[in-house]
Amino acid sequence: ILAILQYHFGFIKKTNLEMEERVRKQTEKLEQTVVLMDILKTIATTANEVSSINEGFQAAIDTICNYTGWTVGHAYIYSEEKKKLISLNVWHAQYPQRYANFKKISESVEFAQHEGFLGKVFSDSVPMWILDVANSSIYARKEAAVLAGLKSVFGFPIFVGRKAVAVLEFYSPNAQIPDDSFLSVMSNVGKQLGQVVERANAMEKSQLLETIISSANDGIIITKANIEEPGPEIIYVNDAFTKISG
C-alpha cells in the first residue's frame, strides 16, 4: 500500500510540475505578445506623426531596443546615387562609450546589394540574424563588434510597396534567436516605417517642385480642375506671373 501511495503522490507531483511549467510558458508567451503589440502600436502611432525619415527611424529603433533589451540599434538607407546601403547616423546605444568605435566604423562602411550581412538582408528582402558574429563568414565588421562586446545581430528591411529601401540592424551581447512572433511584428514595422520614407520622399519632391515653379522666369498659374462657370479657381501663381500681370 505504501508503495502504491508513493507512486500516486509522485505522479501527482509530476503532473503538478508539468502543469506549472505549461502555465509558466503560456504566461511568458502572453507577456511577449503584449510587448510586441505595444511595440507595433507605438511605432505605428509615431509613423503617422513624424515628417522626417531620421525622426521616424530613431523613434522605432529606440522603441524596439527599450522593449526588447537589444543594446544597439542602427539604420542604413539605400542610396540610389551610390547604389549602396549607407549609414543614416541614427543610433540607439545603451553604452555610448563602449560602442563609440563600433559606431565610427559602421558609419564609414557601405554595402552593395548581396554584400555582407546587411546587403543580403536588403537584396533578399527578408529578416535575418547571426547567432555569433565572430564565427560568421558574411559579417564584415566582426572585429569591431567583438571588441565592443556584441555577439548576435538581427536585421530586417524597410519597404515602400514591395521595394526594400532601408535596413535596421540590432545587436545583443548575448546569443539570441528571434522567434516567429517577433519576426512577424518586425515585418509589420518594416511596412509602417516604409510609409515614413514614402511620405518624406513625396514632401521632398513637392518642395523641389515648388522651388522650381517659384523661381521660374515664366509666369505660372495653377488652378483647380473644376472648369464650370465662372471658371476654374486659382490656387497658386508664381512671382513671375505676379510681375507680368501687375
Side-chain angles (χ1 to χ4, degrees), residues 55-221:
E55 187 180 3
F57 281 22
Q58 184 69 69
I61 288 173
D62 287 340
T63 298
I64 292 170
C65 287
N66 289 334
Y67 270 98
T68 64
W70 291 73
T71 55
V72 174
H74 179 215
Y76 277 84
I77 194 162
Y78 187 72
S79 167
E80 292 290 350
E81 180 182 355
K82 293 186 175 182
K83 303 299 180 185
K84 289 184 177 182
L85 286 166
I86 61 174
S87 173
L88 198 58
N89 296 337
V90 171
W91 288 87
H92 175 101
Q94 188 173 350
Y95 309 107
Q97 290 185 339
R98 180 186 302 177
Y99 303 133
N101 184 61
F102 178 72
K103 288 176 62 177
K104 181 179 179 181
I105 291 175
S106 296
E107 290 173 0
S108 68
V109 295
E110 302 172 350
F111 298 94
Q113 295 189 47
H114 306 284
E115 182 182 3
F117 171 71
L118 290 178
K120 285 186 65 64
V121 173
F122 182 82
S123 59
D124 294 354
S125 297
V126 294
M128 297 178 64
W129 62 92
I130 298 174
L131 196 60
D132 187 353
V133 295
N135 297 317
S136 171
S137 61
I138 66 169
Y139 187 80
R141 292 162 288 159
K142 64 177 65 178
E143 183 177 351
V146 170
L147 287 174
L150 300 173
K151 190 175 185 69
S152 58
V153 59
F154 165 71
F156 67 92
I158 308 302
F159 290 98
V160 172
R162 296 183 178 181
K163 181 182 179 182
V165 295
V167 174
L168 300 190
E169 60 173 359
F170 298 88
Y171 293 85
S172 172
N174 306 310
Q176 295 192 32
I177 300 178
D179 60 20
D180 291 340
S181 298
F182 183 81
L183 293 176
S184 176
V185 169
M186 292 304 105
S187 294
N188 283 319
V189 169
K191 296 175 184 176
Q192 294 287 346
L193 293 179
Q195 295 177 15
V196 176
V197 175
E198 191 171 23
R199 187 166 59 249
N201 289 341
M203 187 179 299
E204 183 180 1
K205 290 179 181 178
S206 177
Q207 291 172 344
L208 177 60
L209 179 61
E210 183 178 349
T211 300
I212 293 172
I213 291 175
S214 63
S215 60
N217 294 323
D218 295 329
I220 297 176
I221 178 171

Side-chain angles (χ1 to χ4, degrees), residues 6-23:
Q6 288 176 335
Y7 171 79
H8 281 294
F9 281 133
F11 177 78
I12 292 171
K13 184 178 180 180
K14 180 181 178 182
T15 302
N16 286 339
L17 290 174
E18 290 175 347
M19 289 180 62
E20 288 175 2
E21 181 64 16
R22 284 200 296 269
V23 170

